[in-house]
Amino acid sequence: MSIRQRTTAQKTAAAPDTSVWVSANAGTGKTGVLVDRISRLLLSGVHPERILCLTFTKAAAAEMANRLSALLSSWSAMDEENLGAELQALGEMPVDAEKITRAQQLFAMTLEAPEGLRIRTIHSFCESLLGRFPLEAQIAPDFRVMDERDQMELQREARDHVLNSAEAQGTELTEALRSLAALVDEAAFASLIKELDNNRGKFRTALARHGGPAGLIRAAYEALGIEPGLSVDEVLVRASTLDDTKRADIDRLCAAWVEGSPTNKKTAVGIRDWLTQPPERRATSWRTAFASAFITQKNEMKADTTLMSKGATAADPNAIDVAYACAADCQAVLDTLKAINTADATKALIAIGAALIESYEEIKLQRGRLDYEDLIERASGLLNTPSGVSWVHYKLDGGIEHVLVDEAQDTSPEQWRVVEEITSEFYAGVGRHEETVETPRTMFAVGDEKQSIYSFQG
């Protein structure tokens, strides 16, 4: 018989009496440690239904269940000598007759357990939890979880509803769509709508935090340092309105440029012509006729030799300082214009995103559907309810004593909140135990930071 040898670290991680967080690289036996820990929990007297193992995918859950079932099955048919050696290699000390008998009975015990070995994905667990407490979670008792195809169909339906609603002229939604249409083409617009759909959970949280679309729009303008209602035209008019001091500085620059290179001379002619125009014309041509003399297309200050050639510098050595000041002013104005455009585009996105969420949620409510994000959000809300359904915690406390999390690096903050709510009762006293077991309630998590592939999801 070949017995799998474990390292000291693996045995320590699989010990059933302590809460453990494991960081392990690929190929170091993470799944083996999970199987070892569950089997040792069972050996210590924990009932199968009191163990909850959360994996990241259905395939991982199936693999772990199969490996654990194969292990326990082999124990049931193994002679006492070989089984004793196997348990010692697992880390069980001492191995007595009672322990061997327990090991031989575990396979039948797991088969007879009401829910078998509870090795599930986080979404599967949340679905079963909501199925037990639908009224407390404020969902339809006959709710159905959508797969990705159903979800995409409902999202398209919500999008079409929003676009059709926007056909009514004069609405804020119509203006928002027009603003976006001026910025992106048809393909980019479709991609943008999809991005809003994919991030609606975060978007919904932001809307709630700021009291709705109007509050979130105000926060966006504040973050960009822009006064709500400030327009591009207004900024350009301010930039083109020159007091006597500013006009004198520009006249001095032009006088120096006339003595410089052909480029400087051309710039001087252009700006002097710009100065003679009425205020409205100056505002319209500010970027091309004035700012372009100091700032490149990349919004960077032009090189010294470009600003002031040798001839211009010789005519007025201090004129370069005036050019620097004008360039700094132009950069500030251009930054403000970018901020306004960003704020206006964000305002349009918020309006459209809020409409999409409202339409999508209404369709789901009418048809009694939940998507994967809903499962996490509703379960977290159910577990986090202050007093109304505190007995949910009470019942879970009696049913779950040990939680194991696989692929912890890809478990999102929202999913961790569900885990935290489940385990919060572990440390809130003795809880409801129908019988006393020697093994304290524990939390176990294993993952590999370097294997994280869902960091973009938070």
Side-chain angles (χ1 to χ4, degrees), residues 266-278:
K266 183 178 179 181
T267 300
V269 171
I271 288 184
R272 281 174 170 171
D273 178 64
W274 179 75
L275 289 171
T276 63
Q277 296 175 3

Side-chain angles (χ1 to χ4, degrees), residues 220-288:
Y221 275 81
E222 289 175 6
L224 290 164
I226 299 300
E227 302 172 15
L230 181 64
S231 67
V232 169
D233 291 341
E234 186 178 349
V235 172
L236 291 175
V237 168
R238 291 179 188 176
S240 303
T241 303
L242 309 176
D243 57 23
D244 293 341
T245 302
K246 193 71 174 178
R247 186 177 286 271
D249 285 341
I250 295 174
D251 286 338
R252 177 182 175 181
L253 264 178
C254 289
W257 278 335
V258 168
E259 303 300 326
S261 66
T263 299
N264 283 170
K265 291 177 181 178
K266 183 178 179 181
T267 300
V269 171
I271 288 184
R272 281 174 170 171
D273 178 64
W274 179 75
L275 289 171
T276 63
Q277 296 175 3
E280 311 82 46
R281 291 282 302 277
R282 284 208 304 270
T284 304
S285 59
W286 177 86
R287 300 175 198 247
T288 56

Side-chain angles (χ1 to χ4, degrees), residues 130 137-139 370 373-383:
L130 295 175
Q138 299 181 358
I139 59 176
L370 297 179
E373 284 189 13
D374 292 328
L375 292 176
I376 301 298
E377 182 181 343
R378 295 282 185 169
S380 179
L382 174 66
L383 294 168

